Each structure stands twice: as structure tokens, then as C-alpha cells.
Amino acid sequence: MGLLTVTYGGIEIPVKITKLNRNLMPPITNNTQTIGNSDGGSFSSSRYGENTITFDYMIDNRMAKDLSEFRRKTAGIIHSKELKQLIFSDEPDLYYEAILSGEQTLNEEYLNSTGTLTFIVPDGLAHSTVEKTFSAVANSSGVLEATIINGGTEAVPIDYTIKHNHENGYVGIVSEHGVIQLGSPDEVDTEIRQKSQVLVNYRNATEMGNMTDGQGVLTENFPKNGSFKTVTINGQQVLAVNSVGTGNNWHGASKMVTIPADSNGEVGAVNFLAQSHIWFETGRVQQTGLLEFVVGDEAGQHLASIHVYKKATNANIASAIMQIQLTEKKRIVYEPNYKSVTANGTGSNIYIRKNGELFEFYFGGGRYQYRVPAAASKKAKTLTIFLGQWGTLGAGNIVSRMYFHNVLFQKDNVNYWYDIPNRYRAGSTVYVDGSATKVYVDGIPSLDDERLGSTYFLAPPGETKVQFYYSAFSNPGPTVTAKIREAYL
């Protein structure tokens, strides 16, 4: 036991554990009821409560400063106002979501001091540090099916990743424990109506190379004498700035694409969706940078944009600004650190949507809508991306992670007989977060997808078969994986 170590929030607590009590399992509460004048009682239900983990420890303190340093350092590690992962070295593949509780003792003695630490585990469980993934394959009836094997002792949430290989209007997730329904099973694939058409879909830096360098509509007439380069992040090629060029104010690299004609030969889009996946994260406070995503109109003027910039060199503060015809509509001030990007550290999605006079912007998880009647008939014609820097601060002071992952432009309300772009287009990914009971489409929360009556069921210990259904016209069908994180009493 003397060699046992413990970490909290990923930091080792500098103690020698002399006694550890994780309890066999959390305390159990059984509910019974009396039936009439019958002897005894009837069992109603049972539940377990929160667990308590307590350990005695010892430290070597040959000098007074050793004890003082231990007290300050350890207090900084163990004090928290939120749950953190508590991990013991004898079970490194498990963690407890725990928080300190009650009085923490330290008995100060010469050479060796001792004490006790007590943590509360509100859910009473130990969770696996490793997620288990299960792929769905066609069963003997041709139905996509995943067999989930939970080797833990408790039922746990299930997450699903559904990558569409063809347009699709419906996803059904079915097991004996419940059903989740997304979209509409009645959605059809072909008819004459107004639907959307993707006109630009650059999925990586290589495809964004088809855009024209040194051109574009920006929020100001910045010098566009810089250049881009390709950087590989998590196996994906993204577009980064290679050189910001020269200039006294903002200057950098620019790319532009003219929106192609739709299937009717019409150029320009009154109603559209312009979307990109970006990353804007500083590595040092003195860094500056500018990222622009701009829709231009048929006259070569600014129609709408989202731009993110950091100009201050003495504070890590950035601003995200949304404009319509160069008029600022919304400004979000935030700190562009690792917490401002998604949990897996790859940036976030942004978009600009226009439907007549209604403009909608998406940034940082929020949607912002504005009506501009004077711009109702304005058509989008170009899409511009820009990465730059302020002044002459040098390459070493450019925002460290300033990337474009992809660029998409979708024209809405196109009149023609067409294989309907359904709720889920080919290449889109639906992610179902079982713990949070939320649905995301291409990384964006999608509250409208879930149908009333859906049940986010759990995977109990043992084997659970989950089947997946989709629109009959979706061929080939989607690629589906399920994942769980086992939990133990």
C-alpha cells in the first residue's frame, strides 16, 4: 500500500498512502411497504447513494519548510469547486468523479506527519478511462445492428456517430430498452419543389486550393499580399497562414471563390447557407491575428461576414464580430484559449444563413438573427477567407492556431425537379450524445431533429443489441458506431 499513488484532476497528490477505504460499494437504501395485515413487508425498490473515499497518508518533513510547502501545494491540488477525476495507481483504468468533503486533517509531527483526506463521489461509481466502440453491421435480415457489450456493473449512456454515405431523411435507433427517432420516416427523395443545393464544398486545405489567391471582398481594404500553407491537424489537412505579407495595419493572405451557377444556370443566391470550420487559439498573450469569413454580393460589395481578431498584445482577449453590409450587428468578446475551442481541441463551426431579409449568424454555440429589409433581394456571389496579422510584429507573434478546416456554400430555394437534398446530406455526420441527451449535426446542436417520444436508453451490464433504420432511398446506408464508457460500483 505504501507504493500506492493518487492523482486528482490529473495532478499527483504528493503523499504516501498508508490506509485506503474505497468501500465495497455505495450505501444501499431499500424501500419496503406493508400490505394490509400481512406479516412482514413487500419489497418496493432499491437504490444506492453517494460513495465516500477516505485515505490516511504520511509525508516526510525533515525541515519546517517541507511541511509548509506540502500544505500550500497540496491544498492547491485538492481544492476544487467542481467534480474532478480521482485516480489511484492500482486501478489506472478507472476514475471517480469526486470532490473533497468535510474536514481534511494534517497532524504535524517531527520527521513524519500524517493526515486524512475524504472525497465524496456523488454518483457512487468508478468510470472507465477508456471508451469502448462498437460498429454496426448488417444482420441476417439486412438490418444495421450493433452488439454492445458492457462489462461493467452499471447501465451506462450510449453515444452514436452516424456518418451518412447518401442523402437521408430519417434515423431510427431501436433496442428492447427504448427508441430514438431523428428526422422523418415519411420524407421523400424526389419531387418538384424548392430545395437546397450545395454549390461549394471544400472539405480540406487541398480542395480550398481551388480558390483564387490574393482576391476577395473583406471588411476593409486590407493588403492581400500574404500566402497560405497546409498544416495537418489530427490527420486532416487544414489551411494556415504561411506569410502575412506586409502592411502597417491588418494584412495577410486571402482566397476567394465565385459561387457557381445552380442547376438552372442561375448565378447568385438570395437565400443561402455559408459555413466553415475554424480554429482561432493563441499560444502567447502578445500574439495577434485576424480571421475573416465574408460573403460578397453581385456588385462586389460586402454582404455579410463573421470575423475574429485579436489586436491587443498585453491581454489575451479576442472579438468575434458579425456584420451585414459593413454594419456591425453583434460583437462577442472572449478569451481565445484552449477552453474556447471544442472539447477535442479542433476548433468550432461558424455559419451565415440568409433567407430574404433575415440573416442568421452562428458562432461559439450561439445563434443571432437580424432583419435587414434593404438587403432582402441582395444575392451572394462570392465567398472570401482571410488570415492575417496586425502591423509589423513578426511571424513569431501570429496567433498560433488560426486555421480554416473547410468551406461550404449551400443555395436554398432552388426551383427544379431534383433528387431532394434531404435532412442529412451525403457526408454529414449525426452525433447523439447519450449522457447529455442531445443531437448534433456536423458539430452544431440540432434541436429540431429529435422526434417527440424518443427515449435515450442505457446499455445495461451484459449484451445489448441496437438496430439502426434509415430512409429506403438512402443507398448506401450510413456508417454507424456506438460507444460506451463502462462504470462500476
Side-chain angles (χ1 to χ4, degrees), residues 163-228:
K163 183 176 180 181
H164 289 93
N165 301 309
H166 189 278
E167 292 178 3
N168 183 28
Y170 168 74
V171 174
I173 304 173
V174 181
S175 84
E176 61 180 305
H177 307 295
V179 175
I180 301 173
Q181 296 185 77
L182 308 176
S184 172
D186 300 323
E187 186 168 315
V188 296
D189 190 36
T190 57
E191 64 180 354
I192 298 176
R193 58 182 294 184
Q194 287 189 327
K195 288 297 290 185
S196 301
Q197 186 176 3
V198 175
L199 302 179
V200 174
N201 188 13
Y202 297 138
R203 294 164 292 187
N204 52 47
T206 300
E207 295 181 2
M208 281 185 275
N210 294 319
M211 303 174 75
T212 304
D213 289 309
Q215 300 295 318
V217 177
L218 300 176
T219 57
E220 295 182 31
N221 189 26
F222 307 131
K224 308 180 187 72
N225 51 18
S227 62
F228 291 98

Side-chain angles (χ1 to χ4, degrees), residues 27-325:
I28 301 296
T29 300
N30 294 316
N31 296 316
T32 61
Q33 59 183 355
T34 301
I35 302 177
N37 295 321
S38 299
D39 293 332
S42 174
F43 175 77
S44 176
S45 63
S46 179
R47 64 176 298 274
Y48 58 81
E50 63 186 25
N51 198 9
T52 301
I53 296 177
T54 302
F55 59 85
D56 298 335
Y57 66 86
M58 179 182 69
I59 62 168
D60 297 326
N61 52 285
R62 298 182 180 278
M63 293 183 292
K65 72 170 187 176
D66 294 337
L67 194 58
S68 177
E69 290 176 356
F70 166 80
R71 181 186 293 108
R72 300 284 83 82
K73 179 179 179 180
T74 303
I77 295 172
I78 63 178
H79 179 256
S80 175
K81 293 186 178 180
E82 60 184 11
L83 296 174
K84 291 184 178 180
Q85 293 186 4
L86 184 69
I87 301 176
F88 295 93
S89 59
D90 65 336
E91 47 179 22
D93 56 343
L94 296 177
Y95 67 87
Y96 301 87
E97 289 285 352
I99 192 167
L100 211 60
S101 177
E103 181 179 357
Q104 313 307 312
T105 64
L106 173 59
N107 305 312
E108 301 181 16
E109 300 177 13
Y110 178 61
L111 296 181
N112 293 301
S113 294
T114 60
T116 301
L117 295 179
T118 300
F119 288 86
I120 290 292
V121 182
D123 68 0
L125 300 176
H127 301 268
S128 174
T129 58
V130 178
E131 289 182 321
K132 295 176 67 175
T133 301
F134 308 90
S135 297
V137 296
N139 62 18
S140 59
S141 301
V143 177
L144 271 183
E145 184 177 81
T147 301
I148 297 174
I149 301 173
N150 179 3
T153 63
E154 292 301 298
V156 294
I158 310 171
D159 298 337
Y160 305 94
T161 299
I162 303 161
K163 183 176 180 181
H164 289 93
N165 301 309
H166 189 278
E167 292 178 3
N168 183 28
Y170 168 74
V171 174
I173 304 173
V174 181
S175 84
E176 61 180 305
H177 307 295
V179 175
I180 301 173
Q181 296 185 77
L182 308 176
S184 172
D186 300 323
E187 186 168 315
V188 296
D189 190 36
T190 57
E191 64 180 354
I192 298 176
R193 58 182 294 184
Q194 287 189 327
K195 288 297 290 185
S196 301
Q197 186 176 3
V198 175
L199 302 179
V200 174
N201 188 13
Y202 297 138
R203 294 164 292 187
N204 52 47
T206 300
E207 295 181 2
M208 281 185 275
N210 294 319
M211 303 174 75
T212 304
D213 289 309
Q215 300 295 318
V217 177
L218 300 176
T219 57
E220 295 182 31
N221 189 26
F222 307 131
K224 308 180 187 72
N225 51 18
S227 62
F228 291 98
K229 64 180 179 181
T230 297
V231 175
T232 300
I233 302 293
N234 296 331
Q236 182 188 14
Q237 290 184 335
V238 301
L239 200 65
V241 66
N242 179 50
S243 165
V244 294
T246 59
N248 295 325
N249 297 315
W250 292 111
H251 50 89
S254 179
K255 279 182 178 289
M256 183 194 75
V257 60
T258 299
I259 308 302
D262 63 24
S263 57
N264 288 331
E266 181 182 345
V267 176
V270 171
N271 307 306
F272 61 83
L273 167 69
Q275 180 175 305
S276 182
H277 188 86
I278 65 169
W279 194 346
F280 193 91
E281 178 188 351
T282 54
R284 298 193 306 274
V285 170
Q286 61 267 36
Q287 292 177 343
T288 65
L290 169 64
L291 179 152
E292 292 211 347
F293 184 64
V294 184
V295 178
D297 65 18
E298 292 183 295
Q301 302 298 310
H302 178 282
L303 180 56
S305 67
I306 296 175
H307 70 268
V308 185
Y309 78 93
K310 180 181 179 297
K311 183 177 178 182
T313 58
N314 59 352
N316 195 29
I317 298 297
S319 296
I321 298 177
M322 296 151 221
Q323 293 184 334
I324 301 173
Q325 294 183 314

Side-chain angles (χ1 to χ4, degrees), residues 322 330 332 359-370:
M322 296 151 221
K330 180 71 176 180
I332 300 172
F359 290 77
E360 180 176 277
F361 299 86
Y362 179 86
F363 180 86
R367 291 181 174 88
Y368 309 94
Q369 292 186 339
Y370 306 95

